Amino acid sequence: MTEAKSNFLIQCLRGASQVFFMRNALTGALFFLAIAYASHVSGSWASLIGAAVGVVVATLTARLLDCDETSVSSGLFGFNGILVGAALPDFIAASPQLWVYVVIGAAASTVITAAFSATLTSNWKIPGSTGPFVLTGWLMVASAYSFGGLNVIGDTPKLASDYVQGLVSIPSPIELAEIVFRSIGQVYLLDSAISGAILLLGIFIASIPAGIAAVAGSLAAAITSIAMGAPPALVGQGLYGFSPVLTAMAVGVIFLKPSPKAAAYALLATVTTVFVQGALDVILAPSGIPSFTAPYVLTMYMFIAPKKLIAPHPHKTVPGHLVDARRSKMLAPRLRDG
Amino acid sequence: MTEAKSNFLIQCLRGASQVFFMRNALTGALFFLAIAYASHVSGSWASLIGAAVGVVVATLTARLLDCDETSVSSGLFGFNGILVGAALPDFIAASPQLWVYVVIGAAASTVITAAFSATLTSNWKIPGSTGPFVLTGWLMVASAYSFGGLNVIGDTPKLASDYVQGLVSIPSPIELAEIVFRSIGQVYLLDSAISGAILLLGIFIASIPAGIAAVAGSLAAAITSIAMGAPPALVGQGLYGFSPVLTAMAVGVIFLKPSPKAAAYALLATVTTVFVQGALDVILAPSGIPSFTAPYVLTMYMFIAPKKLIAPHPHKTVPGHLVDARRSKMLAPRLRDG
Amino acid sequence: MTEAKSNFLIQCLRGASQVFFMRNALTGALFFLAIAYASHVSGSWASLIGAAVGVVVATLTARLLDCDETSVSSGLFGFNGILVGAALPDFIAASPQLWVYVVIGAAASTVITAAFSATLTSNWKIPGSTGPFVLTGWLMVASAYSFGGLNVIGDTPKLASDYVQGLVSIPSPIELAEIVFRSIGQVYLLDSAISGAILLLGIFIASIPAGIAAVAGSLAAAITSIAMGAPPALVGQGLYGFSPVLTAMAVGVIFLKPSPKAAAYALLATVTTVFVQGALDVILAPSGIPSFTAPYVLTMYMFIAPKKLIAPHPHKTVPGHLVDARRSKMLAPRLRDG
């Protein structure tokens, strides 16, 4: 009994660490410390409680559904749940309905994780990653506008034309370092450079190359977003950097074998993520939902999907189509190649 | 000739019954009666005519395209067409162009049904269900805003911030029963408790467990939406219940073998559908299109997709990637597990 | 060296020709002439330079990534890049950041082309076609609203209710001919009937059936959009015709074997594309992004996906679901068929 309980605790802590692709309970414990620090600073503990509830419910749901044991034990069914639990109290005011919401959202995130595995991963070897969190989070924040028991906090929906574009300002080295740490913190929706530093420590404990990729990705994102003239307030909060951090880690060291070529490829992916961040902020604005880690998820899917030896379909007839006129005596058009 | 004609009529009636997953011409005939009753009450017969045209055109198109005969005969190529035909006159004012629109929409729904089968079903055993109707309906209602010959009726597009959140009020048992029946009626876009009761009778004639699931799903949705504070006017019309009804039937008795575990799983899916309903209403509001059965479709896809033995991709290198540096002498990062 | 260079030039010109499904360097050269003519008329050369940069960067990226050689050589990795390069300067004012943007967008379009091939094509034999351009273009135009260094030109985001619906007016034969040519020109975002005529000449040089399909598709789109009452100004510019042109070519002669049945199927697809054009214009309006060739891409995917012998999933239990209660003694519901 005690063994099973401690096992379960370790699975939950590993789930916390898997947000940054790690499988390490100590790292997960440090991640909880980082959330606690940010809660202490802000004075609001709902995110910390939400994170704990989220990872517990998600992991428990996976056990009840007899999901793949190794995956459950590695925390692979917990990291989307912890993000759902940490994110919802950030966007919805505390109420009894919020906590019902967190529990159901975390349980649903486990089902959606299994659904992504059975589709994206099963056929295409694309990792679902935090895609299930993004989908669950979008649906639940949008849904909250419809319910009297749930009050959405923060920005109201708007059109892209309402955007205030930023003046470019070059930050000092200290400001830049703060942006780098804040960007890492925002992966857990934490608006604190110190929390970001604790998270980074946790990553380094589990994997030095992963820690280096996190810093490099955060820096590349900061430079790109400043050079393109992103809104300074958002850049300063690390809101242009948290998705690129994940892209740099995922493409640079986790899902591809590190090499100079993979590093160049990861850099292109990281810079692209900054643009996708800008795009999704605009596209989602009218719906009043945040982009969460969708810029990372979308970019990573696109950059991890390509496999060797698979060519685009040539501009020739597709095989076995429903409308396949076998009896037709007309010939296919001959293209004159040149 | 007479045989073929009557066969075709039976195929169309079965198509009507497949909206609720049944394959029963008598049930289909009762469903047409339910639509006729609602038309009689509202005084507008366009939806009834649209439904008849929709199922005939969709089934005929499937025959002309030599689609799988057993499926055509079971009505599986007709139920998206009947929904397209029943829905479009609800959102677009009658005009000659509307009827061109219904015919082309119903024909396209057959092609899209075949497309969903060749992708979702072929690879992942996810049933397309009313997904083709949702996609066709969205495109055609949105498109109507662009054309002078088609006038969109009803609500104008708006932002989520314009939402009026509801005051929670607990309905009397009779009001609750009305909501349960109306929710079933809204699957066919019918705003009538009596039409809902006729539909339910049709379901029970074909399958008692399916009828029980429909009532249970409708009740669970009503309770959830009231507890969360959904807009009372919408709840009262059954607009928070029709998608959950389909989810409860699909997940609880049609696509999974009934068991206590499947029932609990279906309950989670049903409650989730209520939240997805709230979400899609908000997300689609700026585009001025209704959510149709999308909350059911999206939730059902997610809950039916997970298969045994399929694990999430671990956070390790994906096989056979385009950027696979075989010649690289660098080692993959070693994660320190713990 | 000279050989390799000329080879590369031919690959790029073939890439230009692949926008209209051809593999012909002479056709590609004529296409560049068409862009140059439109630039000469408008006085702005950014689109021509963008097109050249786009196809060069995209093709080069494919070479650096060791993508399938035959495909690279056929220009199949260049046509999305040329469209990205031609389109971005049409929607974003010239600035140093714009050119960085074009280079990164074109490089990303190659990765996304490989991703579409590894998913859509690999499993379902659906050609990615200009889908990667649409996705890249959407993300980059939307993203430009977020960056001070990038100024979006043209219409501001709006709601569908702001749409001014058109008065139907029947064009003279000469006006109709102009619309037909302009629609072909708009595939390359060229607002010039003469450029359209040059493009059409290029198509006929490579394939007579493809040229006939282009004209037929353009004519069918013009008639459909006028009959439905589309906004006359947009119809006159060819903005309701360029996606249907591609659909008619793709479904009518490129991806299906030409036959009377395929022609009827292509006509349904072409008319459907006109409606999808109207729909996407409305749906995308609040986000402030143009629909590009998405109406063609979406319709073509749906019409090319269906394969012989693949039936919709019947309304029965799906195999191997996670929640598969083998030990359950309850029976599956028996549907009473009729």
Side-chain angles (χ1 to χ4, degrees), chain B residues 179-180 182-187 214 217-222 225 234-248 270 273-274 277 296:
Chain B
I179 293 171
V180 166
R182 275 182 199 277
S183 294
I184 294 169
Q186 290 286 5
V187 171
S218 191
L219 200 60
S225 50
L234 299 182
V235 174
Q237 286 178 275
L239 292 172
Y240 266 86
F242 67 98
S243 270
V245 162
L246 292 173
T247 301
T270 304
T273 307
V274 175
Q277 178 72 53
Y296 150 65

PDB file of all heavy atoms in Angstrom, chain B residues 179-180 182-187 214 217-222 225 234-248 270 273-274 277 296:
ATOM      1  N   ILE B 179     -37.120  19.661 -21.439  1.00  0.00           N
ATOM      2  CA  ILE B 179     -35.746  19.877 -21.920  1.00  0.00           C
ATOM      3  C   ILE B 179     -35.184  18.575 -22.493  1.00  0.00           C
ATOM      4  O   ILE B 179     -34.529  18.571 -23.535  1.00  0.00           O
ATOM      5  CB  ILE B 179     -34.844  20.413 -20.771  1.00  0.00           C
ATOM      6  CG1 ILE B 179     -35.286  21.824 -20.371  1.00  0.00           C
ATOM      7  CG2 ILE B 179     -33.391  20.410 -21.182  1.00  0.00           C
ATOM      8  CD1 ILE B 179     -34.604  22.347 -19.115  1.00  0.00           C
ATOM      9  N   VAL B 180     -35.474  17.465 -21.788  1.00  0.00           N
ATOM     10  CA  VAL B 180     -34.971  16.168 -22.247  1.00  0.00           C
ATOM     11  C   VAL B 180     -35.504  15.849 -23.644  1.00  0.00           C
ATOM     12  O   VAL B 180     -34.755  15.436 -24.536  1.00  0.00           O
ATOM     13  CB  VAL B 180     -35.338  15.058 -21.237  1.00  0.00           C
ATOM     14  CG1 VAL B 180     -35.129  13.674 -21.853  1.00  0.00           C
ATOM     15  CG2 VAL B 180     -34.515  15.201 -19.963  1.00  0.00           C
ATOM     16  N   ARG B 182     -36.850  18.037 -25.861  1.00  0.00           N
ATOM     17  CA  ARG B 182     -36.402  19.045 -26.826  1.00  0.00           C
ATOM     18  C   ARG B 182     -34.969  18.775 -27.279  1.00  0.00           C
ATOM     19  O   ARG B 182     -34.621  18.989 -28.451  1.00  0.00           O
ATOM     20  CB  ARG B 182     -36.454  20.440 -26.193  1.00  0.00           C
ATOM     21  CG  ARG B 182     -37.829  21.098 -26.289  1.00  0.00           C
ATOM     22  CD  ARG B 182     -37.775  22.503 -25.665  1.00  0.00           C
ATOM     23  NE  ARG B 182     -39.100  22.956 -25.332  1.00  0.00           N
ATOM     24  CZ  ARG B 182     -39.935  23.519 -26.197  1.00  0.00           C
ATOM     25  NH1 ARG B 182     -39.547  23.690 -27.455  1.00  0.00           N
ATOM     26  NH2 ARG B 182     -41.130  23.898 -25.828  1.00  0.00           N
ATOM     27  N   SER B 183     -34.121  18.341 -26.341  1.00  0.00           N
ATOM     28  CA  SER B 183     -32.728  18.055 -26.692  1.00  0.00           C
ATOM     29  C   SER B 183     -32.657  16.974 -27.765  1.00  0.00           C
ATOM     30  O   SER B 183     -31.840  17.047 -28.687  1.00  0.00           O
ATOM     31  CB  SER B 183     -31.949  17.598 -25.451  1.00  0.00           C
ATOM     32  OG  SER B 183     -31.860  18.657 -24.525  1.00  0.00           O
ATOM     33  N   ILE B 184     -33.527  15.961 -27.633  1.00  0.00           N
ATOM     34  CA  ILE B 184     -33.551  14.900 -28.642  1.00  0.00           C
ATOM     35  C   ILE B 184     -34.066  15.470 -29.969  1.00  0.00           C
ATOM     36  O   ILE B 184     -33.529  15.176 -31.042  1.00  0.00           O
ATOM     37  CB  ILE B 184     -34.405  13.720 -28.136  1.00  0.00           C
ATOM     38  CG1 ILE B 184     -33.714  13.087 -26.916  1.00  0.00           C
ATOM     39  CG2 ILE B 184     -34.610  12.677 -29.239  1.00  0.00           C
ATOM     40  CD1 ILE B 184     -34.567  12.092 -26.148  1.00  0.00           C
ATOM     41  N   GLY B 185     -35.077  16.343 -29.890  1.00  0.00           N
ATOM     42  CA  GLY B 185     -35.608  16.954 -31.108  1.00  0.00           C
ATOM     43  C   GLY B 185     -34.593  17.810 -31.847  1.00  0.00           C
ATOM     44  O   GLY B 185     -34.561  17.841 -33.078  1.00  0.00           O
ATOM     45  N   GLN B 186     -33.717  18.482 -31.092  1.00  0.00           N
ATOM     46  CA  GLN B 186     -32.752  19.391 -31.713  1.00  0.00           C
ATOM     47  C   GLN B 186     -31.695  18.662 -32.528  1.00  0.00           C
ATOM     48  O   GLN B 186     -30.973  19.286 -33.314  1.00  0.00           O
ATOM     49  CB  GLN B 186     -32.074  20.274 -30.653  1.00  0.00           C
ATOM     50  CG  GLN B 186     -32.975  21.320 -30.019  1.00  0.00           C
ATOM     51  CD  GLN B 186     -33.273  22.502 -30.938  1.00  0.00           C
ATOM     52  OE1 GLN B 186     -32.881  22.525 -32.102  1.00  0.00           O
ATOM     53  NE2 GLN B 186     -34.016  23.482 -30.403  1.00  0.00           N
ATOM     54  N   VAL B 187     -31.545  17.354 -32.331  1.00  0.00           N
ATOM     55  CA  VAL B 187     -30.629  16.604 -33.191  1.00  0.00           C
ATOM     56  C   VAL B 187     -31.045  16.784 -34.648  1.00  0.00           C
ATOM     57  O   VAL B 187     -30.216  16.879 -35.549  1.00  0.00           O
ATOM     58  CB  VAL B 187     -30.611  15.107 -32.817  1.00  0.00           C
ATOM     59  CG1 VAL B 187     -29.829  14.292 -33.840  1.00  0.00           C
ATOM     60  CG2 VAL B 187     -30.020  14.926 -31.432  1.00  0.00           C
ATOM     61  N   ALA B 214     -30.170   7.578 -24.921  1.00  0.00           N
ATOM     62  CA  ALA B 214     -30.596   8.906 -25.373  1.00  0.00           C
ATOM     63  C   ALA B 214     -31.196   9.700 -24.209  1.00  0.00           C
ATOM     64  O   ALA B 214     -30.860  10.873 -23.997  1.00  0.00           O
ATOM     65  CB  ALA B 214     -31.601   8.788 -26.517  1.00  0.00           C
ATOM     66  N   GLY B 217     -28.436  10.483 -21.567  1.00  0.00           N
ATOM     67  CA  GLY B 217     -27.536  11.527 -22.061  1.00  0.00           C
ATOM     68  C   GLY B 217     -28.184  12.892 -22.006  1.00  0.00           C
ATOM     69  O   GLY B 217     -27.551  13.885 -21.613  1.00  0.00           O
ATOM     70  N   SER B 218     -29.447  12.949 -22.383  1.00  0.00           N
ATOM     71  CA  SER B 218     -30.163  14.213 -22.382  1.00  0.00           C
ATOM     72  C   SER B 218     -30.294  14.762 -20.961  1.00  0.00           C
ATOM     73  O   SER B 218     -30.111  15.959 -20.716  1.00  0.00           O
ATOM     74  CB  SER B 218     -31.549  14.005 -23.001  1.00  0.00           C
ATOM     75  OG  SER B 218     -32.177  15.224 -23.259  1.00  0.00           O
ATOM     76  N   LEU B 219     -30.576  13.856 -20.023  1.00  0.00           N
ATOM     77  CA  LEU B 219     -30.707  14.243 -18.620  1.00  0.00           C
ATOM     78  C   LEU B 219     -29.372  14.712 -18.054  1.00  0.00           C
ATOM     79  O   LEU B 219     -29.295  15.752 -17.370  1.00  0.00           O
ATOM     80  CB  LEU B 219     -31.231  13.032 -17.823  1.00  0.00           C
ATOM     81  CG  LEU B 219     -31.874  13.309 -16.478  1.00  0.00           C
ATOM     82  CD1 LEU B 219     -33.088  14.212 -16.616  1.00  0.00           C
ATOM     83  CD2 LEU B 219     -32.267  11.988 -15.805  1.00  0.00           C
ATOM     84  N   ALA B 220     -28.308  13.961 -18.320  1.00  0.00           N
ATOM     85  CA  ALA B 220     -26.979  14.338 -17.825  1.00  0.00           C
ATOM     86  C   ALA B 220     -26.574  15.703 -18.363  1.00  0.00           C
ATOM     87  O   ALA B 220     -25.988  16.529 -17.647  1.00  0.00           O
ATOM     88  CB  ALA B 220     -25.944  13.283 -18.225  1.00  0.00           C
ATOM     89  N   ALA B 221     -26.900  15.961 -19.614  1.00  0.00           N
ATOM     90  CA  ALA B 221     -26.552  17.253 -20.208  1.00  0.00           C
ATOM     91  C   ALA B 221     -27.331  18.381 -19.558  1.00  0.00           C
ATOM     92  O   ALA B 221     -26.784  19.452 -19.274  1.00  0.00           O
ATOM     93  CB  ALA B 221     -26.820  17.228 -21.710  1.00  0.00           C
ATOM     94  N   ALA B 222     -28.627  18.144 -19.307  1.00  0.00           N
ATOM     95  CA  ALA B 222     -29.448  19.186 -18.680  1.00  0.00           C
ATOM     96  C   ALA B 222     -28.899  19.527 -17.303  1.00  0.00           C
ATOM     97  O   ALA B 222     -28.731  20.707 -16.954  1.00  0.00           O
ATOM     98  CB  ALA B 222     -30.901  18.722 -18.591  1.00  0.00           C
ATOM     99  N   SER B 225     -25.463  21.377 -17.613  1.00  0.00           N
ATOM    100  CA  SER B 225     -25.533  22.759 -18.110  1.00  0.00           C
ATOM    101  C   SER B 225     -26.203  23.674 -17.099  1.00  0.00           C
ATOM    102  O   SER B 225     -25.810  24.839 -16.961  1.00  0.00           O
ATOM    103  CB  SER B 225     -26.217  22.822 -19.476  1.00  0.00           C
ATOM    104  OG  SER B 225     -27.441  22.133 -19.474  1.00  0.00           O
ATOM    105  N   LEU B 234     -31.147  29.006 -23.825  1.00  0.00           N
ATOM    106  CA  LEU B 234     -30.587  27.978 -24.709  1.00  0.00           C
ATOM    107  C   LEU B 234     -30.813  26.586 -24.136  1.00  0.00           C
ATOM    108  O   LEU B 234     -31.152  25.648 -24.858  1.00  0.00           O
ATOM    109  CB  LEU B 234     -29.091  28.214 -24.941  1.00  0.00           C
ATOM    110  CG  LEU B 234     -28.713  29.536 -25.610  1.00  0.00           C
ATOM    111  CD1 LEU B 234     -27.206  29.623 -25.826  1.00  0.00           C
ATOM    112  CD2 LEU B 234     -29.428  29.682 -26.950  1.00  0.00           C
ATOM    113  N   VAL B 235     -30.616  26.450 -22.808  1.00  0.00           N
ATOM    114  CA  VAL B 235     -30.855  25.153 -22.167  1.00  0.00           C
ATOM    115  C   VAL B 235     -32.316  24.746 -22.370  1.00  0.00           C
ATOM    116  O   VAL B 235     -32.613  23.596 -22.710  1.00  0.00           O
ATOM    117  CB  VAL B 235     -30.511  25.212 -20.667  1.00  0.00           C
ATOM    118  CG1 VAL B 235     -30.886  23.907 -19.971  1.00  0.00           C
ATOM    119  CG2 VAL B 235     -29.026  25.513 -20.458  1.00  0.00           C
ATOM    120  N   GLY B 236     -33.217  25.704 -22.186  1.00  0.00           N
ATOM    121  CA  GLY B 236     -34.646  25.424 -22.319  1.00  0.00           C
ATOM    122  C   GLY B 236     -35.037  24.938 -23.710  1.00  0.00           C
ATOM    123  O   GLY B 236     -35.935  24.119 -23.872  1.00  0.00           O
ATOM    124  N   GLN B 237     -34.338  25.441 -24.728  1.00  0.00           N
ATOM    125  CA  GLN B 237     -34.633  25.006 -26.099  1.00  0.00           C
ATOM    126  C   GLN B 237     -33.980  23.671 -26.436  1.00  0.00           C
ATOM    127  O   GLN B 237     -34.132  23.169 -27.540  1.00  0.00           O
ATOM    128  CB  GLN B 237     -34.117  26.052 -27.100  1.00  0.00           C
ATOM    129  CG  GLN B 237     -34.944  27.328 -27.163  1.00  0.00           C
ATOM    130  CD  GLN B 237     -34.323  28.313 -28.139  1.00  0.00           C
ATOM    131  OE1 GLN B 237     -33.420  29.066 -27.764  1.00  0.00           O
ATOM    132  NE2 GLN B 237     -34.775  28.278 -29.378  1.00  0.00           N
ATOM    133  N   GLY B 238     -33.204  23.136 -25.508  1.00  0.00           N
ATOM    134  CA  GLY B 238     -32.520  21.868 -25.768  1.00  0.00           C
ATOM    135  C   GLY B 238     -31.219  22.031 -26.532  1.00  0.00           C
ATOM    136  O   GLY B 238     -30.637  21.049 -26.982  1.00  0.00           O
ATOM    137  N   LEU B 239     -30.735  23.290 -26.633  1.00  0.00           N
ATOM    138  CA  LEU B 239     -29.546  23.522 -27.450  1.00  0.00           C
ATOM    139  C   LEU B 239     -28.249  23.111 -26.753  1.00  0.00           C
ATOM    140  O   LEU B 239     -27.198  23.064 -27.379  1.00  0.00           O
ATOM    141  CB  LEU B 239     -29.490  24.992 -27.884  1.00  0.00           C
ATOM    142  CG  LEU B 239     -30.595  25.374 -28.878  1.00  0.00           C
ATOM    143  CD1 LEU B 239     -30.624  26.868 -29.119  1.00  0.00           C
ATOM    144  CD2 LEU B 239     -30.422  24.622 -30.193  1.00  0.00           C
ATOM    145  N   TYR B 240     -28.315  22.833 -25.457  1.00  0.00           N
ATOM    146  CA  TYR B 240     -27.135  22.302 -24.766  1.00  0.00           C
ATOM    147  C   TYR B 240     -27.191  20.777 -24.668  1.00  0.00           C
ATOM    148  O   TYR B 240     -26.279  20.167 -24.126  1.00  0.00           O
ATOM    149  CB  TYR B 240     -26.970  22.913 -23.376  1.00  0.00           C
ATOM    150  CG  TYR B 240     -26.051  24.101 -23.403  1.00  0.00           C
ATOM    151  CD1 TYR B 240     -26.532  25.369 -23.697  1.00  0.00           C
ATOM    152  CD2 TYR B 240     -24.682  23.945 -23.197  1.00  0.00           C
ATOM    153  CE1 TYR B 240     -25.682  26.452 -23.761  1.00  0.00           C
ATOM    154  CE2 TYR B 240     -23.827  25.015 -23.247  1.00  0.00           C
ATOM    155  CZ  TYR B 240     -24.327  26.268 -23.534  1.00  0.00           C
ATOM    156  OH  TYR B 240     -23.474  27.333 -23.601  1.00  0.00           O
ATOM    157  N   GLY B 241     -28.254  20.179 -25.183  1.00  0.00           N
ATOM    158  CA  GLY B 241     -28.442  18.754 -24.957  1.00  0.00           C
ATOM    159  C   GLY B 241     -28.341  17.864 -26.176  1.00  0.00           C
ATOM    160  O   GLY B 241     -28.093  16.667 -26.035  1.00  0.00           O
ATOM    161  N   PHE B 242     -28.503  18.412 -27.395  1.00  0.00           N
ATOM    162  CA  PHE B 242     -28.613  17.495 -28.538  1.00  0.00           C
ATOM    163  C   PHE B 242     -27.300  16.794 -28.869  1.00  0.00           C
ATOM    164  O   PHE B 242     -27.299  15.620 -29.226  1.00  0.00           O
ATOM    165  CB  PHE B 242     -29.222  18.188 -29.765  1.00  0.00           C
ATOM    166  CG  PHE B 242     -28.385  19.262 -30.377  1.00  0.00           C
ATOM    167  CD1 PHE B 242     -27.607  18.997 -31.487  1.00  0.00           C
ATOM    168  CD2 PHE B 242     -28.390  20.551 -29.875  1.00  0.00           C
ATOM    169  CE1 PHE B 242     -26.832  19.991 -32.079  1.00  0.00           C
ATOM    170  CE2 PHE B 242     -27.622  21.556 -30.457  1.00  0.00           C
ATOM    171  CZ  PHE B 242     -26.833  21.267 -31.556  1.00  0.00           C
ATOM    172  N   SER B 243     -26.184  17.502 -28.746  1.00  0.00           N
ATOM    173  CA  SER B 243     -24.902  16.826 -28.992  1.00  0.00           C
ATOM    174  C   SER B 243     -24.598  15.778 -27.918  1.00  0.00           C
ATOM    175  O   SER B 243     -24.206  14.662 -28.246  1.00  0.00           O
ATOM    176  CB  SER B 243     -23.768  17.845 -29.111  1.00  0.00           C
ATOM    177  OG  SER B 243     -23.600  18.250 -30.463  1.00  0.00           O
ATOM    178  N   PRO B 244     -24.782  16.107 -26.624  1.00  0.00           N
ATOM    179  CA  PRO B 244     -24.560  15.090 -25.590  1.00  0.00           C
ATOM    180  C   PRO B 244     -25.433  13.838 -25.778  1.00  0.00           C
ATOM    181  O   PRO B 244     -24.988  12.730 -25.458  1.00  0.00           O
ATOM    182  CB  PRO B 244     -24.903  15.831 -24.293  1.00  0.00           C
ATOM    183  CG  PRO B 244     -24.615  17.260 -24.588  1.00  0.00           C
ATOM    184  CD  PRO B 244     -25.005  17.441 -26.028  1.00  0.00           C
ATOM    185  N   VAL B 245     -26.672  14.013 -26.265  1.00  0.00           N
ATOM    186  CA  VAL B 245     -27.518  12.847 -26.534  1.00  0.00           C
ATOM    187  C   VAL B 245     -26.807  11.886 -27.490  1.00  0.00           C
ATOM    188  O   VAL B 245     -26.745  10.669 -27.258  1.00  0.00           O
ATOM    189  CB  VAL B 245     -28.871  13.280 -27.155  1.00  0.00           C
ATOM    190  CG1 VAL B 245     -29.570  12.113 -27.836  1.00  0.00           C
ATOM    191  CG2 VAL B 245     -29.778  13.889 -26.091  1.00  0.00           C
ATOM    192  N   LEU B 246     -26.257  12.459 -28.553  1.00  0.00           N
ATOM    193  CA  LEU B 246     -25.563  11.619 -29.539  1.00  0.00           C
ATOM    194  C   LEU B 246     -24.308  11.003 -28.943  1.00  0.00           C
ATOM    195  O   LEU B 246     -23.989   9.835 -29.206  1.00  0.00           O
ATOM    196  CB  LEU B 246     -25.220  12.458 -30.781  1.00  0.00           C
ATOM    197  CG  LEU B 246     -26.429  12.921 -31.601  1.00  0.00           C
ATOM    198  CD1 LEU B 246     -25.998  13.881 -32.710  1.00  0.00           C
ATOM    199  CD2 LEU B 246     -27.161  11.724 -32.212  1.00  0.00           C
ATOM    200  N   THR B 247     -23.574  11.780 -28.130  1.00  0.00           N
ATOM    201  CA  THR B 247     -22.369  11.236 -27.496  1.00  0.00           C
ATOM    202  C   THR B 247     -22.721  10.057 -26.591  1.00  0.00           C
ATOM    203  O   THR B 247     -22.043   9.020 -26.621  1.00  0.00           O
ATOM    204  CB  THR B 247     -21.667  12.326 -26.655  1.00  0.00           C
ATOM    205  OG1 THR B 247     -21.322  13.422 -27.508  1.00  0.00           O
ATOM    206  CG2 THR B 247     -20.403  11.780 -26.003  1.00  0.00           C
ATOM    207  N   ALA B 248     -23.768  10.231 -25.776  1.00  0.00           N
ATOM    208  CA  ALA B 248     -24.150   9.167 -24.842  1.00  0.00           C
ATOM    209  C   ALA B 248     -24.509   7.889 -25.602  1.00  0.00           C
ATOM    210  O   ALA B 248     -24.101   6.786 -25.212  1.00  0.00           O
ATOM    211  CB  ALA B 248     -25.323   9.630 -23.977  1.00  0.00           C
ATOM    212  N   THR B 270     -20.062  12.495 -22.170  1.00  0.00           N
ATOM    213  CA  THR B 270     -21.293  13.289 -22.277  1.00  0.00           C
ATOM    214  C   THR B 270     -21.135  14.645 -21.600  1.00  0.00           C
ATOM    215  O   THR B 270     -21.510  15.687 -22.159  1.00  0.00           O
ATOM    216  CB  THR B 270     -22.470  12.501 -21.667  1.00  0.00           C
ATOM    217  OG1 THR B 270     -22.561  11.234 -22.322  1.00  0.00           O
ATOM    218  CG2 THR B 270     -23.778  13.249 -21.843  1.00  0.00           C
ATOM    219  N   THR B 273     -18.946  16.843 -23.589  1.00  0.00           N
ATOM    220  CA  THR B 273     -19.647  17.396 -24.754  1.00  0.00           C
ATOM    221  C   THR B 273     -20.383  18.687 -24.407  1.00  0.00           C
ATOM    222  O   THR B 273     -20.456  19.618 -25.229  1.00  0.00           O
ATOM    223  CB  THR B 273     -20.636  16.367 -25.325  1.00  0.00           C
ATOM    224  OG1 THR B 273     -19.941  15.150 -25.578  1.00  0.00           O
ATOM    225  CG2 THR B 273     -21.261  16.849 -26.629  1.00  0.00           C
ATOM    226  N   VAL B 274     -20.935  18.763 -23.192  1.00  0.00           N
ATOM    227  CA  VAL B 274     -21.609  20.002 -22.765  1.00  0.00           C
ATOM    228  C   VAL B 274     -20.617  21.168 -22.780  1.00  0.00           C
ATOM    229  O   VAL B 274     -20.931  22.270 -23.249  1.00  0.00           O
ATOM    230  CB  VAL B 274     -22.224  19.843 -21.358  1.00  0.00           C
ATOM    231  CG1 VAL B 274     -22.808  21.171 -20.866  1.00  0.00           C
ATOM    232  CG2 VAL B 274     -23.292  18.756 -21.366  1.00  0.00           C
ATOM    233  N   GLN B 277     -19.750  22.094 -26.305  1.00  0.00           N
ATOM    234  CA  GLN B 277     -20.863  22.892 -26.848  1.00  0.00           C
ATOM    235  C   GLN B 277     -20.671  24.367 -26.504  1.00  0.00           C
ATOM    236  O   GLN B 277     -20.724  25.228 -27.373  1.00  0.00           O
ATOM    237  CB  GLN B 277     -22.192  22.399 -26.263  1.00  0.00           C
ATOM    238  CG  GLN B 277     -23.407  23.196 -26.721  1.00  0.00           C
ATOM    239  CD  GLN B 277     -23.747  22.911 -28.168  1.00  0.00           C
ATOM    240  OE1 GLN B 277     -23.903  21.763 -28.557  1.00  0.00           O
ATOM    241  NE2 GLN B 277     -23.844  23.940 -28.983  1.00  0.00           N
ATOM    242  N   TYR B 296     -20.612  17.061 -30.458  1.00  0.00           N
ATOM    243  CA  TYR B 296     -20.666  15.597 -30.437  1.00  0.00           C
ATOM    244  C   TYR B 296     -19.542  15.003 -31.271  1.00  0.00           C
ATOM    245  O   TYR B 296     -18.811  14.114 -30.810  1.00  0.00           O
ATOM    246  CB  TYR B 296     -22.024  15.097 -30.949  1.00  0.00           C
ATOM    247  CG  TYR B 296     -21.960  13.756 -31.615  1.00  0.00           C
ATOM    248  CD1 TYR B 296     -21.603  12.612 -30.893  1.00  0.00           C
ATOM    249  CD2 TYR B 296     -22.224  13.606 -32.980  1.00  0.00           C
ATOM    250  CE1 TYR B 296     -21.528  11.371 -31.512  1.00  0.00           C
ATOM    251  CE2 TYR B 296     -22.151  12.381 -33.598  1.00  0.00           C
ATOM    252  CZ  TYR B 296     -21.789  11.251 -32.868  1.00  0.00           C
ATOM    253  OH  TYR B 296     -21.690  10.041 -33.483  1.00  0.00           O
TER     254      TYR B 296
END
